[in-house]
Amino acid sequence: MFLDSKFNSSIESTILLSKPLTNWFEINQEAMVYFEFTHTGCLHFENSSCASDDVRILGRMANAALSYLEGNSTFTPKEKAAKATQAIAEIYESNKEILSGTAKILYAINIDALEKDELIEKSTSKVLSRKNGIKNRRPGKGHRNH
């Protein structure tokens, strides 16, 4: 994925930590750039009578995601990506009945993929910790009795 230059360049590496978030940005970043939803606080269409519901909701999604991605929090980059993904999903779920058919397709985010990634990561870390534990208990050069 190549993030448009209008976005803060430091968030691209965090976005890439979540496959659903990466896919969502690839699909929606062109519209986000067009409507200037490229930074935190991008709710300028929220009270506009000329903006469609689709545009307002995209602005909410972008603002929520970018708040986590750009924020100076104690979250790790992986946690920021997960929280941004979750925020997009929550806004989508609470507004999908008013979205147009096209926006329903474009704005949907695959939260199941995020959960699968987390499960894979947890199981991998358990396996690695078990392997390291076994490896560390084996006698080696430093443990020989002379």
Side-chain angles (χ1 to χ4, degrees):
M1 179 188 88
F2 294 103
L3 194 60
D4 190 278
S5 63
K6 302 274 187 202
F7 289 92
N8 179 342
S9 62
S10 67
I11 66 170
E12 185 169 9
S13 61
T14 304
I15 291 169
L16 291 171
L17 294 173
S18 168
K19 187 168 179 69
L21 190 60
T22 301
N23 292 341
W24 190 85
F25 265 88
E26 284 178 346
I27 292 167
N28 294 297
Q29 76 169 320
E30 190 175 313
M32 292 167 64
V33 169
Y34 180 81
F35 291 111
E36 298 179 356
F37 298 147
T38 57
H39 57 280
T40 303
C42 55
L43 295 170
H44 45 274
F45 285 114
E46 192 62 29
N47 297 319
S48 173
S49 60
C50 14
S52 70
D53 288 333
D54 291 352
V55 171
R56 282 195 281 281
I57 293 167
L58 179 61
R60 289 178 205 154
M61 295 169 116
N63 183 59
L66 292 169
S67 294
Y68 282 112
L69 297 170
E70 294 179 349
N72 294 328
S73 65
T74 58
F75 297 125
T76 66
K78 184 80 173 168
E79 291 170 330
K80 286 180 179 182
K83 290 196 176 286
T85 303
Q86 187 65 40
I88 291 168
E90 288 173 5
I91 293 168
Y92 178 82
E93 285 301 316
S94 65
N95 293 286
K96 69 180 176 184
E97 65 278 347
I98 61 174
L99 289 171
S100 69
T102 303
K104 283 180 184 176
I105 295 167
L106 295 174
Y107 299 175
I109 190 162
N110 186 357
I111 198 77
D112 294 335
L114 177 67
E115 292 167 359
K116 285 178 187 175
D117 286 348
E118 288 173 356
L119 289 174
I120 290 168
E121 186 176 304
K122 285 179 184 176
S123 65
T124 303
S125 66
K126 284 182 184 178
V127 169
L128 290 175
S129 67
R130 275 189 258 152
K131 282 184 178 179
N132 287 339
I134 292 167
K135 181 180 176 187
N136 291 337
R137 287 193 298 258
R138 282 190 254 157
K141 282 185 176 180
H143 299 293
R144 291 187 186 160
N145 293 328
H146 294 276

